[in-house]
Amino acid sequence: MVWKETCVLEERMRFVLAIESGEESMAAICRRFGISRRVGYKWLGRYREAGVLGLEDRSRAPLRRPQGIALSVAERCLEVRRLHPTWGPVKVRAWLQRHAPEQCWPAASSIGALFDREGLTVKRRRRRRCPARTAPFAACGAANDVWCIDFKGWFLTGDGSRCEPLTLSDAYSRYLFRCQAVAPTGAVQVWPILDAAFREYGLPWALRSDNGPPFASTGAGGLSRLSVLVVKAGVLPERIDPGKPQQNGRLERLHLTLLQDTASPPARTLRQQLERFRAFQDVYNRERPHQSLGNTPPADHYDLSPRSWDGVLRTPDYPDDDERRRVRHNGEIKWRGNTVYISQALAGEPVGLHETAAGDWTVCYGPVHLGVIKHRGDRLQKPKRPARGFVDNPVGLPTTPPAQPQQPQQMQP
């Protein structure tokens, strides 16, 4: 038997020819083709109105869009965009409202969608980012629940020396533990500062930071060599979401005060700048009233942590029913006859693997979830981030000048 191919348009044409022949009634023909009489009369009317072209599918888009952007308004938005190719929809709308306040301009999101339809936006280039934070932030209801750490941002002193202060404070009481200039800003330089603070004040339950080095990385679990040391000290590393500095807002607000009191303008030398930091730390902790603390200084609300630190780094413990594998120097583990890459930051460290009901294996380093190894898989699947949106595409504008090729330099005789 040979299969016979057909299409919707051919079936509709056969239906119309059967009607035009007059050999059967409309009801009988509709039953034979498996359609209702209402649909049958619709296609017969379209055929008599436009011929064979009337049997083709029509667009279901509405003929009128009451909430759509008027053509004149859209052209005005595009005109401003062409005059200023680097402006986004928010700036274009603000400019239009300022120069024509009597006109009701569409929302910035509608203008952005217009630019997208006109090819003036492109999808964001995918960037390697720190894995998504899957656990909620630790509760901050008492001193030493959460400590916050970050670099304030570098600046130059009067003699041209680079100064990049590292700040470490308690999130509940705002007590400032450390304010030191660090150079370079790697794990080797930051860990001794953390170690000294742990020995002096005790251990917090969590240490909150951003997603930049040396606090985090793009590897499994966002772990860096510094955060591995933090875990081995018995502290949970926390990371804010990318581009959300307000999640560490208490430390960011401290940075503003630090800039105003010690670096506006900077000191003449790096030594004098460090003296300013030490004086600021004492005044900030013991004298400066803090509005969120009832206009009392942070020292009135801070007590030493009951978890003392003996300076010993301990590997995490795992349940007895978990599998354990030690990460090799190249960041891989041996699993079920395969080598699975985990992270070089965990070289020499043991990781735990727990089997799920689906037969997959979740991989953890202490309290940090690293990813999932699928059944009989050979790679670690990290948590996925949501897709990114669109960005402006000035290159798509017809008025954008093309890039000029670089001319080769002439060799001097």
Side-chain angles (χ1 to χ4, degrees):
M1 177 180 178
V2 180
W3 292 101
K4 182 179 179 181
E5 294 185 1
T6 183
C7 65
V8 177
L9 184 60
E10 291 179 357
E11 289 294 305
R12 292 170 183 169
M13 192 64 200
R14 289 177 53 209
F15 170 79
V16 171
L17 293 177
I19 294 294
E20 294 293 335
S21 66
E23 297 179 357
E24 298 179 82
S25 65
M26 170 66 77
I29 297 176
C30 288
R31 284 195 298 270
R32 179 154 58 89
F33 280 86
I35 60 176
S36 65
R37 286 184 295 174
R38 182 185 64 83
V39 176
Y41 280 113
K42 180 186 73 171
W43 290 113
L44 181 61
R46 290 187 181 181
Y47 173 77
R48 291 175 177 175
E49 178 183 353
V52 179
L53 296 178
L55 301 179
E56 296 180 352
D57 288 331
R58 297 179 180 178
S59 174
R60 297 186 178 183
L63 300 178
R64 299 179 60 187
R65 298 176 181 269
Q67 303 299 328
I69 302 178
L71 183 60
S72 58
V73 175
E75 289 296 332
R76 183 56 177 157
C77 294
L78 293 175
E79 180 183 353
V80 177
R81 168 70 172 184
R82 295 187 182 101
L83 290 175
H84 305 280
T86 59
W87 286 12
V90 176
K91 285 185 171 58
V92 169
R93 186 175 188 271
W95 190 93
L96 292 171
Q97 286 182 326
R98 180 178 179 181
H99 289 78
E102 70 283 354
Q103 176 69 37
C104 182
W105 299 104
S109 58
S110 300
I111 298 178
L114 172 65
F115 293 166
D116 182 27
R117 292 194 299 270
E118 295 295 327
L120 304 182
T121 56
V122 294
K123 287 189 176 182
R124 290 184 183 270
R125 182 181 178 183
R126 185 176 180 182
R127 298 173 55 189
R128 294 192 62 192
R129 294 183 179 271
C130 191
R133 175 179 54 84
T134 57
F137 286 145
C140 182
N144 302 300
D145 282 349
V146 180
W147 287 10
C148 303
I149 188 171
D150 196 8
F151 285 99
K152 183 256 169 227
W154 68 272
F155 58 90
L156 297 179
T157 58
D159 59 355
S161 301
R162 181 187 174 103
C163 179
E164 189 162 5
L166 174 73
T167 55
L168 177 66
S169 69
D170 179 61
Y172 175 78
S173 64
R174 280 76 165 178
Y175 194 90
L176 182 59
F177 303 116
R178 291 291 186 272
C179 181
Q180 298 179 221
V182 180
T185 58
V188 178
Q189 292 74 28
V190 175
W191 172 247
I193 298 176
L194 272 176
D195 178 71
F198 290 162
R199 293 174 185 271
E200 182 177 357
Y201 299 99
L203 294 174
W205 292 106
L207 181 66
R208 185 174 303 175
S209 68
D210 59 15
N211 295 271
F215 311 114
S217 71
T218 58
L223 290 176
S224 64
R225 297 189 183 277
L226 178 63
S227 56
V228 170
L229 296 176
V230 171
V231 173
K232 296 179 71 172
V235 180
L236 176 66
E238 287 186 349
R239 304 187 314 274
I240 64 174
D241 293 328
K244 300 292 184 181
Q246 63 271 21
Q247 294 178 354
N248 206 5
R250 300 181 181 185
L251 191 61
E252 296 293 340
R253 183 59 183 86
L254 185 150
H255 287 171
L256 177 60
T257 304
L258 178 67
L259 174 65
Q260 294 172 343
D261 291 359
T262 66
S264 297
R268 294 183 57 186
T269 64
L270 183 60
R271 180 181 294 273
Q272 293 178 358
Q273 188 67 53
L274 297 179
E275 293 176 356
R276 289 187 183 184
F277 288 159
R278 287 192 289 269
F280 169 83
Q281 182 177 352
D282 184 67
V283 173
Y284 184 87
N285 287 334
R286 304 184 182 282
E287 299 182 19
R288 181 182 180 273
H290 204 292
Q291 186 176 1
S292 63
L293 300 176
N295 290 323
T296 56
D300 293 352
H301 301 267
Y302 181 74
D303 293 319
L304 296 179
S305 174
R307 302 175 62 212
S308 60
W309 166 241
D310 57 5
V312 179
L313 297 173
R314 298 175 175 85
T315 56
D317 295 329
Y318 300 100
D320 295 337
D321 56 345
D322 282 6
E323 296 283 345
R324 296 174 180 81
R325 293 293 186 275
R326 190 169 295 276
V327 181
R328 301 177 177 179
H329 69 281
N330 58 357
E332 297 178 346
I333 63 171
K334 191 72 173 180
W335 179 250
R336 301 296 174 86
N338 298 320
T339 56
V340 181
Y341 181 79
I342 304 297
S343 174
Q344 272 196 319
L346 291 170
E349 299 296 328
V351 295
L353 297 96
H354 180 76
E355 187 176 10
T356 64
D360 303 331
W361 292 84
T362 59
V363 186
C364 298
Y365 179 69
V368 181
H369 175 70
L370 303 179
V372 177
I373 300 178
K374 294 295 184 180
H375 181 59
R376 295 184 179 178
D378 58 352
R379 67 186 183 90
L380 181 72
Q381 295 186 3
K382 305 176 186 177
K384 295 183 178 180
R385 286 191 173 276
R388 309 300 296 177
F390 294 91
V391 294
D392 293 330
N393 180 22
V395 181
L397 290 169
T399 56
T400 303
Q404 299 295 329
Q406 295 183 356
Q407 300 294 333
Q409 297 181 357
Q410 300 292 335
M411 299 295 295
Q412 298 293 334

